[in-house]
Amino acid sequence: MAPTPIFPVKVGHIDDVQELKKAKQANIPHRFVRDMAERPALATAVTLPSDIPVIDLSNLVKGGKAQFHAEISKLTASCEEWGFFQVINHGIDVEVLSNIEKMAMEFFMLPLEEKKKYPMAPGTVQGYGQAFVFSEDQKLDWCNMFALGLEPHYMRNLSLWPKNPPTFSESIETYSREMRKLCKSVLSFIAMSLGLDKDVFEDMFGDAVQAVRMNYYPACPRPDLVMGLSPHSDGSALTVLQQGKGSSVGLQILKNNTWIPVQPIPNALVINIGDTIEVLTNGRYKSVEHRAVTNKEKDRLSIVTFYAPSYDIELGPMPELMDEKNPSKFRRYNHGEYSKHYVTNKLQGKKTLEFAKIHPQASF
């Protein structure tokens, strides 16, 4: 998680959406009601295949030559055409996934006063509350968040680590270790899918930054008026999403100007390409806009891991992926500066990537 902004941030009153649900209010507070153009068209028929690609990681880790090449080809197509894929047979024990989910639910079910002991200060992205809010009139997401920086250890703000549930720290430590291994493994296969050395990203990233965010989306009486999470792409290299068992289908990705729901597969994890990989691959693998919608009847829980280069790393398109026909689309920049730019702006599609883009000069 990047450094906090140096300017004061006034966000106004922010209602806690779980408390709004408990109160059974028929009317949605105006700060959650989206303008017409931003409202999710929940009943729109999806004409494209709704199933995003599924990668069987066991075919890459221990499959035969034919299985490996078939799966690498599928991974390449997933990164080029979708920017998203679900991973099965990822090697993470189901118990680890169950424990983090149970612990997250226990935290979100605590009384509000207990959760408020770990506040997300305005303009920051660690603690409990709503992130990416920078003004008093900004529309709010129908979501409660709890986010923590995990790695390197200097990122940790231990005053925000809850004592309740008692298993919190142990569950987070175990989960983050497993997610770190998974991210390194997937990045090595992404490197191979590009024809690069499998360790190229690990060597480049240094002491990689890792953070976790738990999202709780209570059922909403008017899901057609609100957004669970505003459309955005991720600033990370990779993002790994665990969708809570029994939760409503909420994640949607933008493909060919259509919002496509991601149907969860039991015990699978959803992985998406972040802005960092788009820059490094010079646009060959693109980060994709995604959002979360709410449900009238069911709550939704998701647990998200963000994995990115060290803040002191300088990034730009990799020379191996540029040539005369494919010149650099992005400038070189410090990743810490980009991260700060990302977390100090509201979520707004892929707008934050403008930070790194090279725009062709107009000729007159």
Side-chain angles (χ1 to χ4, degrees):
M1 303 242 172
T4 57
I6 57 173
F7 52 88
V9 176
K10 294 183 178 180
V11 299
H13 176 71
I14 297 179
D15 285 301
D16 185 284
V17 287
Q18 283 175 261
E19 298 302 306
L20 290 176
K21 182 194 172 187
K22 285 180 192 173
K24 296 182 178 177
Q25 284 185 221
N27 295 326
I28 306 293
H30 77 278
R31 284 195 74 185
F32 292 93
V33 177
R34 296 287 173 144
D35 297 334
M36 287 297 294
E38 294 183 337
R39 293 178 188 178
L42 301 177
T44 301
V46 175
T47 55
L48 293 167
S50 61
D51 293 327
I52 68 169
V54 177
I55 302 298
D56 187 337
L57 205 62
S58 65
N59 286 339
L60 294 171
V61 174
K62 56 188 178 185
K65 197 172 182 180
Q67 287 177 306
F68 178 87
H69 284 297
E71 212 67 38
I72 277 285
S73 295
K74 195 192 296 185
L75 178 63
T76 304
S78 302
C79 293
E80 286 182 341
E81 297 167 18
W82 288 83
F84 268 79
F85 49 92
Q86 297 202 59
V87 172
I88 59 172
N89 297 324
H90 43 66
I92 299 177
D93 196 300
V94 173
E95 189 177 3
V96 172
L97 303 181
S98 298
N99 285 346
I100 195 75
E101 204 170 296
K102 178 174 178 287
M103 183 273 295
M105 284 298 293
E106 286 177 6
F107 176 80
F108 282 116
M109 293 304 113
L110 291 171
L112 180 59
E113 290 309 310
E114 181 72 15
K115 291 182 284 191
K116 278 186 170 179
K117 292 177 182 176
Y118 314 102
M120 186 181 291
T124 70
V125 284
Q126 289 204 58
Y128 175 78
Q130 282 220 16
F132 306 104
V133 182
F134 298 99
S135 72
E136 298 180 73
D137 57 357
Q138 184 178 331
K139 294 297 183 182
L140 300 173
D141 291 331
W142 192 267
C143 175
N144 283 337
M145 297 178 173
F146 184 61
L148 294 171
L150 298 174
E151 299 291 343
H153 276 216
Y154 73 78
M155 299 258 301
R156 300 184 176 198
N157 182 349
L158 294 179
S159 67
L160 296 175
W161 286 53
K163 304 291 187 289
N164 189 14
T167 58
F168 185 90
S169 292
E170 183 184 346
S171 296
I172 281 286
E173 294 282 14
T174 303
Y175 189 75
S176 69
R177 277 198 305 271
E178 293 297 318
M179 285 292 152
R180 200 167 182 84
K181 284 192 288 188
L182 176 64
C183 288
K184 288 182 177 183
S185 178
V186 171
L187 279 170
S188 72
F189 293 120
I190 286 176
M192 294 165 77
S193 76
L194 291 160
L196 304 171
D197 181 86
K198 68 181 181 66
D199 296 323
V200 67
F201 293 123
E202 185 167 0
D203 292 343
M204 182 192 306
F205 283 12
D207 199 359
V209 170
Q210 187 176 336
V212 67
R213 190 178 75 220
M214 303 165 201
N215 304 311
Y216 193 82
Y217 306 92
C220 178
R222 291 294 307 272
D224 57 317
L225 299 181
V226 306
M227 194 63 71
L229 190 60
S230 300
H232 65 285
S233 62
D234 293 333
S236 55
L238 283 186
T239 301
V240 183
L241 170 73
Q242 178 178 338
Q243 306 203 70
K245 282 184 180 173
S247 292
S248 60
V249 178
L251 173 64
Q252 298 182 340
I253 66 175
L254 186 63
K255 183 171 172 61
N256 299 332
N257 294 315
T258 300
W259 288 105
I260 299 176
V262 178
Q263 303 288 342
I265 298 172
N267 301 318
L269 295 165
V270 179
I271 296 182
N272 64 277
I273 299 295
D275 293 348
T276 297
I277 292 295
E278 177 164 347
V279 169
L280 291 172
T281 63
N282 202 33
R284 179 172 170 185
Y285 290 175
K286 290 182 174 62
S287 61
V288 171
E289 275 188 63
H290 50 288
R291 69 183 188 182
V293 296
T294 61
N295 186 278
K296 193 170 185 176
E297 310 294 337
K298 295 179 77 173
D299 297 359
R300 177 173 178 257
L301 174 75
S302 68
I303 301 159
V304 190
T305 294
F306 302 99
Y307 188 86
S310 168
Y311 287 145
D312 58 8
I313 300 297
E314 189 178 86
L315 295 177
M318 301 171 75
E320 301 94 324
L321 301 175
M322 293 187 292
D323 54 37
E324 288 184 8
K325 292 182 180 178
N326 192 26
S328 179
K329 297 179 176 70
F330 303 95
R331 65 181 179 86
R332 294 191 68 78
Y333 59 88
N334 170 268
H335 180 61
E337 288 179 10
Y338 177 66
S339 295
K340 185 170 184 177
H341 171 76
Y342 188 92
V343 303
T344 55
N345 282 276
K346 69 176 184 178
L347 298 179
Q348 197 172 358
K350 292 190 66 170
K351 190 174 180 181
T352 47
L353 195 54
E354 294 295 317
F355 174 93
K357 278 187 179 174
I358 296 173
H359 295 282
Q361 291 186 338
S363 54
F364 297 96

